Structure formats: C-alpha cells, structure tokens
Amino acid sequence: MLQSFEQMASGNAGGGFPLSRIVCRMDWVPDGQSHIDDLIEFEARVNDVWCRHDDAVICTYHLPKFTGDAVIDIMRTHPLVIVGGILQKNPFFVPPGEFVREIRARRAAQPARPATAG
C-alpha cells in the first residue's frame, strides 16, 4: 500500500496531476483487534509518503469498530485531525519514526497470541 500511495502522490501519477485529494475510508478494518497493530503502524508509516507531497489526504474511521486505546493511537499518527467538524493541528501527533519504534516495542513486550484453528 505504501508503494501504491507513493505512485498516486502528486507529481507521480500518470497524467501529471499536480495535486491529489484522497479520502481513505478505513471500513476495511476487520471487526475485532487482530490486525489493529498493523493498521496503526501503517497509519504512522504512510505519513512518510504524504510529508513529501502536497496532496490533501483524509482518513475516515467508523469509530465503533475500535477500542478507545486504538482510537488514541490512530489519532497520534495524524498531524492534523478533524474533531467536531473542525480541522486542527494535533497536539498528540508523534513523528512516524518515533511512533513506529514505540508500537513495535509495545508489540514485542506483549505475550504471544496462540494460533487459532481456521
């Protein structure tokens, strides 16, 4: 996905569009928490792509699908947030490299999850 976003970013897309406006609906996130750490890490890492371009990118979330701590972590990956319909600088934003180190350390400290029969 990171490579796909890099290809879509302004100045890279075929056709030479100077600026892209992208809305990422996060409805694809499965119910439950099995992939939430991967999602949060992706959200942090994708900022490395967007910080090199002038594109307008909005990520939307169906909040009932997430726990409160997941929502906080997701918000920490975004430099700007829309709260109550107002776009504002996020005082809780953590730069991508720092946040990825934190989430990976947290993941490493968690006990291993047992494999499930499929």
Side-chain angles (χ1 to χ4, degrees):
M1 281 305 297
L2 294 173
Q3 288 178 337
S4 294
F5 282 139
E6 185 68 51
Q7 291 170 351
M8 284 189 280
S10 60
N12 293 343
F17 295 105
L19 183 66
S20 298
R21 292 171 185 87
I22 300 168
V23 177
C24 299
R25 291 187 54 172
M26 305 308 284
D27 295 346
W28 61 267
V29 175
D31 290 329
Q33 298 298 305
S34 61
H35 300 287
I36 195 67
D37 287 341
D38 294 331
L39 166 72
I40 294 168
E41 182 174 332
F42 170 79
E43 286 290 87
R45 291 180 60 204
V46 77
N47 282 315
D48 285 333
V49 173
W50 299 128
C51 75
R52 295 189 302 270
H53 302 280
D54 292 328
D55 303 291
V57 180
I58 299 173
C59 299
T60 64
Y61 298 86
H62 186 63
L63 294 179
K65 285 189 162 199
F66 301 94
T67 63
D69 57 338
V71 170
I72 296 299
D73 276 344
I74 291 166
M75 284 186 63
R76 292 176 63 215
T77 69
H78 292 80
L80 300 170
V81 292
I82 299 172
V83 177
I86 300 171
L87 178 65
Q88 50 197 320
K89 187 173 180 176
N90 183 0
F92 304 108
F93 172 69
V94 177
E98 182 180 335
F99 191 86
V100 168
R101 282 190 300 276
E102 176 187 326
I103 194 115
R104 287 180 179 173
R106 193 183 325 159
R107 188 181 305 154
Q110 292 175 347
R113 294 181 185 154
T116 59

